[in-house]
């Protein structure tokens, strides 16, 4: 709320500068016109635009609630709470400004504009495509994309803007932190989003994610496994591709390693449970590929004795042998 109030205050201040400039221009054209004649009442402004009349009091009440209903309302509020004499003085000051001063003020007005999510995504993607960018700036650009792709509409625009290609390319970066956040972005963008899931699968990314799921950098492996789960969840084609890429062997290697980070065990069991659930929901008689992998099944059974209660519960409830 505080940031929103600051934003509106900045915009209101910018509009007052423009109003003052308008007054200066009007006075040059007609010195006999009074300042009051330049502005109609709030009700007349509404009538001229063909919309419902809105009083300054009503807009003030809306402002107190956290914002203005229209840009016109914000203008009316600014006028209603301004001293005409001071505005006239400001108009005279602007009239005396040099072209350089006016240019600087215009640049300030441009900075006050809030860019859209699409514009912010384009900036971040352009940074990723810049080969000379520093490692810190690349990391920052990826962090911004990670936040921006959370809304499904933004995620759906990512590939169109060239974002998926840029992020997938960074899965091969020499820095493990860059690879980690790249996998994280792919998982976030494809979460419960069939449209983006299919785009990423078509780009041949699943095999690379399965490869880095075995990374010695634990955070990278965790985020890769997260991305794999998000990518194939409720996606039959993605699951078939996972089986084709020997997904059962990937899970077997993780689950049979008793010294590996417990978080990788959890994510692997959750992924296995998702695959079993999808099989049950589809009511297919086809046997799951990992059903004949005895090493994998034994690893799952062994986890029922895990000291981690969440893992133990998930393993008992969703074990393939229980199904």
């Amino acid at each position: 709320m505080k940031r929103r109030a600051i934003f509106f205050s900045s915009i209101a201040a910018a509009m007052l500068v423009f109003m003052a400039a308008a007054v200066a221009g009007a006075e040059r054209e007609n010195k006999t016109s009074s300042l009051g004649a330049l502005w109609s009442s709030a009700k007349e402004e509404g009538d001229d635009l063909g919309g419902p009349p809105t009083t300054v009091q009503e807009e003030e009440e809306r402002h107190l609630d956290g914002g203005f209903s229209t840009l016109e309302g914000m203008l009316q509020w600014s006028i209603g709470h301004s001293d005409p004499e001071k505005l006239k003085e400001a108009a005279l000051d602007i009239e005396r400004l040099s072209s350089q001063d006016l240019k600087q003020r215009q640049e300030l007005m441009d900075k006050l504009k809030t860019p859209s999510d699409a514009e912010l995504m384009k900036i971040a993607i352009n940074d990723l495509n810049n080969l000379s960018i520093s490692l810190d700036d690349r990391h920052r650009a990826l962090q911004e994309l990670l936040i921006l792709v959370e809304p499904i509409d933004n995620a759906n625009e990512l590939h169109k803007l060239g974002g998926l290609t840029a992020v997938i390319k960074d899965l091969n970066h020499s820095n493990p932190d860059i690879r980690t956040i790249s996998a994280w972005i792919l998982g976030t963008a494809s979460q419960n989003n069939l449209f983006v899931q299919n785009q990423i699968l078509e780009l041949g990314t699943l095999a690379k994610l399965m490869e880095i799921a075995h990374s010695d950098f634990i955070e990278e492996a965790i985020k890769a496994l997260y991305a794999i789960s998000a990518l194939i969840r409720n996606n039959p084609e993605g699951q078939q591709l996972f089986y084709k890429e020997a997904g059962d062997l990937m899970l077997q290697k993780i689950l049979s390693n008793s010294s590996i980070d417990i978080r990788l065990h959890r994510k692997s069991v959750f992924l296995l449970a998702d695959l079993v659930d999808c099989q049950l929901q589809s009511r297919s008689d086809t046997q799951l590929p990992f059903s004949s992998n005895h090493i994998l099944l034994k690893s799952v059974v062994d986890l029922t004795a895990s000291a981690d209660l969440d893992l133990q519960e998930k393993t008992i409830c969703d074990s393939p042998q229980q199904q």
Side-chain angles (χ1 to χ4, degrees), residues 30-252:
N30 185 1
K31 294 293 184 179
T32 61
S33 298
S34 66
L35 184 65
L38 291 174
W39 297 314
S40 62
S41 67
K43 183 175 181 179
E44 289 170 345
E45 291 275 353
D47 291 341
D48 289 342
L49 292 173
T54 305
T55 65
V56 172
Q57 181 182 358
E58 290 173 340
E59 285 301 336
E60 182 176 2
E61 291 173 353
R62 289 194 182 98
H63 170 63
L64 292 174
D65 286 338
F68 296 91
S69 59
T70 64
L71 192 59
E72 175 202 356
M74 183 166 61
L75 175 60
Q76 293 170 4
W77 184 89
S78 300
I79 294 172
H81 290 75
S82 302
D83 186 338
E85 290 302 322
K86 290 183 178 180
L87 282 178
K88 188 172 183 179
E89 291 176 8
L92 293 174
D93 289 340
I94 288 177
E95 191 174 3
R96 291 190 289 267
L97 288 175
S98 65
S99 58
Q100 181 63 27
D101 290 334
L102 288 172
K103 182 180 179 180
Q104 291 177 350
R105 292 209 174 195
Q106 181 59 50
E107 290 175 353
L108 176 61
M109 298 305 106
D110 292 339
K111 289 180 180 179
L112 289 172
K113 295 178 182 177
T114 302
S116 65
D117 282 359
E119 291 170 332
L120 291 174
M121 289 170 68
K122 288 178 183 177
I123 293 171
I125 292 167
N126 287 338
D127 286 344
L128 295 180
N129 290 326
N130 182 357
L131 297 179
S132 62
I133 194 174
S134 69
L135 185 63
D136 286 343
D137 285 341
R138 179 171 294 277
H139 191 273
R140 173 196 51 77
L142 288 169
Q143 287 282 5
E144 291 175 356
L145 272 184
L146 178 62
I147 296 172
L148 288 166
V149 299
E150 287 183 0
I152 190 169
D153 291 339
N154 289 352
N156 289 342
E157 292 295 310
L158 186 60
H159 190 34
K160 184 187 298 183
L161 298 174
L164 280 184
T165 303
V167 172
I168 290 171
K169 185 177 180 180
D170 271 348
L171 290 176
N172 295 300
H173 199 278
S174 59
N175 185 278
D177 288 338
I178 296 298
R179 299 195 301 267
T180 297
I181 194 170
S182 297
W184 195 355
I185 291 171
L186 296 177
T188 301
S190 59
Q191 191 75 39
N192 301 316
N193 189 329
L194 183 62
F195 179 69
V196 175
Q197 285 175 344
N198 289 336
Q199 288 179 330
I200 296 175
L201 290 170
E202 288 171 4
L203 292 171
T205 314
L206 182 60
K208 181 62 182 179
L209 290 169
M210 293 174 66
E211 175 188 330
I212 63 178
H214 299 301
S215 172
D216 293 332
F217 298 96
I218 297 301
E219 291 302 324
E220 178 183 6
I222 289 172
K223 289 301 185 288
L225 200 50
Y226 159 71
I228 293 168
S229 297
L231 195 55
I232 67 175
R233 182 171 294 127
N234 298 320
N235 189 317
E237 292 183 4
Q239 291 170 15
Q240 289 303 316
L241 184 57
F242 176 75
Y243 298 141
K244 185 178 180 181
E245 295 289 344
D248 63 318
L249 295 181
M250 182 199 79
L251 293 173
Q252 172 193 315

